[in-house]
Amino acid sequence: MTPRLVSSSQLLRRLEWRLEHEVETQLIGDYFSVFRGRGMEFDQVVKYEFGDDIRDIDWNVTARLGEPYRKKFVEERELVVMLVIEDSLSLQFGSGQRTKREALFELAALVMLLASLNRDSISVIHSSPGGYKMHDRVRGRNAVFHAATQLLDAKPPELTDTRPVETPWDLVIPAAPNHSMLIVLGDFPPREVPREWRQIVQRFIPVGFRVEDPWERELPGKVPLTVYDPTTNRVVVIDPRSGVHRKAHAEWVEKRNASFSHFVPRPKDRLTITPDESVVDALVHFFHAHMGTATQL
């Protein structure tokens, strides 16, 4: 990661200020509409009234009392938001003002602040080459702010460390209750979906966030480029004029996008941004798109 122009605490305060003063009503409302209320808990049994959902009728109580009664449910007051961050070497690439890693970690911090404003709990698993760190679940502005600061200050993996990033998916499953929100942030390289993923999808509300550099979408310019590849620790030359290079790049893009889609099948559950894009605006668009397609998927 390149040196920051502002400290982690300054960045968090800027994000927090914008949430509270510029887009709080819009973003908090969208967040609540999309992710809150998905988990329901039983409250009590009440008399059935015309227009109530017949699927909620408690037939045992109805038979015992001789008139229809239904189960009443209430929204769970606290949502657990679990962030799984896969800190791969490829995130340290950046053709613009900042790297993919900087943008991705800022996006993670924004989600943490957003959940904090909504009084939800936060849990973080940070995976990097050769290991992972599980952060204790926290709740409340000060605790979440401190956890987000620690995350932003985490040192990037050494470029010479070529060990794979192995996320402990088996530990994700018991780490939060049913209907929790699971956000996976990373590069989503071509790979097999983990065997635990089917159970994770049944247990949680999973979404995927990815940062994509413009050079990854399309080879720039018409002259050869000399770039550093952090995944192989080599300097390589890419020639946009070469048909072989363009074909190889197009095939790589197709495989990468297919992997992301395979991991998170529903388009409304995927968010891709560029490093220089506003993470707040991107998240607003994500929630709008999520709600706009909710009735179609």
Side-chain angles (χ1 to χ4, degrees):
M1 184 182 291
T2 56
R4 287 186 173 277
L5 299 179
V6 296
S7 67
S8 298
S9 59
Q10 288 176 318
L11 174 60
L12 288 170
R13 290 192 180 95
R14 289 182 184 179
L15 291 174
E16 191 175 48
W17 182 90
R18 188 170 181 194
L19 285 178
E20 292 179 343
H21 295 85
E22 295 188 33
V23 294
E24 177 182 359
T25 302
Q26 179 183 23
L27 194 51
I28 289 291
D30 292 349
Y31 170 93
F32 188 92
S33 299
V34 172
F35 295 114
R36 297 288 289 187
R38 295 286 291 273
M40 306 293 287
E41 60 181 5
F42 173 72
D43 183 23
Q44 59 182 313
V45 175
V46 297
K47 283 188 176 182
Y48 178 86
E49 296 181 359
F50 179 78
D52 290 341
D53 194 334
I54 61 173
R55 293 174 297 180
D56 293 336
I57 292 179
D58 189 319
W59 295 107
N60 291 331
V61 176
T62 296
R64 187 168 65 249
L65 298 180
E67 57 181 321
Y69 277 76
R70 68 174 180 85
K71 297 176 181 178
K72 181 181 178 182
F73 297 87
V74 297
E75 290 182 355
E76 295 179 350
R77 289 177 172 81
E78 178 182 305
L79 178 71
V80 176
V81 179
M82 175 173 290
L83 275 64
V84 175
I85 303 171
E86 298 189 314
D87 197 358
S88 60
L89 296 182
S90 58
L91 292 179
Q92 297 187 50
F93 177 76
S95 63
Q97 295 297 315
R98 60 178 182 171
T99 65
K100 297 194 299 178
R101 186 179 190 271
E102 288 177 298
L104 193 73
F105 275 56
E106 184 176 322
L107 183 58
L110 176 64
V111 171
M112 295 173 72
L113 294 178
L114 181 58
S116 175
L117 287 174
N118 210 47
R119 298 183 296 278
D120 294 326
S121 295
I122 300 293
S123 181
V124 178
I125 296 179
H126 179 197
S127 299
S128 57
Y132 64 88
K133 181 177 181 181
M134 294 189 67
H135 297 260
D136 293 334
R137 190 187 307 175
V138 295
R139 185 173 185 267
R141 189 266 181 191
N142 291 337
V144 172
F145 196 94
H146 178 69
T149 300
Q150 285 187 315
L151 181 65
L152 290 174
D153 286 339
K155 293 183 179 180
E158 295 291 337
L159 293 176
T160 55
D161 191 347
T162 58
R163 291 175 296 176
V165 175
E166 297 181 352
T167 298
W169 296 110
D170 58 326
L171 300 181
V172 171
I173 296 173
N178 287 341
H179 308 297
S180 297
M181 177 179 168
L182 174 66
I183 303 179
V184 183
L185 303 98
D187 230 0
F188 292 91
R191 59 176 170 177
E192 293 292 329
V193 174
R195 56 184 176 81
E196 299 91 350
W197 192 248
R198 182 175 181 180
Q199 186 177 355
I200 288 174
V201 170
Q202 294 173 344
R203 183 175 174 85
F204 303 133
I205 307 168
V207 297
F209 289 172
R210 180 181 71 171
V211 178
E212 185 176 65
D213 191 89
W215 286 17
E216 293 177 323
R217 295 179 177 178
E218 183 178 0
L219 292 179
K222 298 181 180 180
V223 296
L225 302 169
T226 301
V227 297
Y228 174 74
D229 180 4
T231 62
T232 60
N233 199 25
R234 294 188 301 116
V235 174
V236 297
V237 177
I238 302 174
D239 189 351
R241 301 169 301 180
S242 168
V244 174
H245 284 198
R246 290 198 306 270
K247 180 180 178 181
H249 180 266
E251 291 175 348
W252 176 82
V253 170
E254 184 177 357
K255 290 180 180 179
R256 186 166 179 265
N257 290 336
S259 176
F260 195 19
S261 300
H262 188 48
F263 205 96
V264 186
R266 299 191 302 179
K268 70 174 185 177
D269 293 333
R270 301 193 300 267
L271 170 64
T272 299
I273 68 172
T274 61
D276 295 327
E277 188 176 351
S278 164
V279 294
V280 175
D281 293 340
L283 206 55
V284 168
H285 293 319
F286 170 76
F287 284 131
H288 283 175
H290 203 289
M291 290 192 299
T293 58
T295 58
Q296 302 174 17
L297 296 178

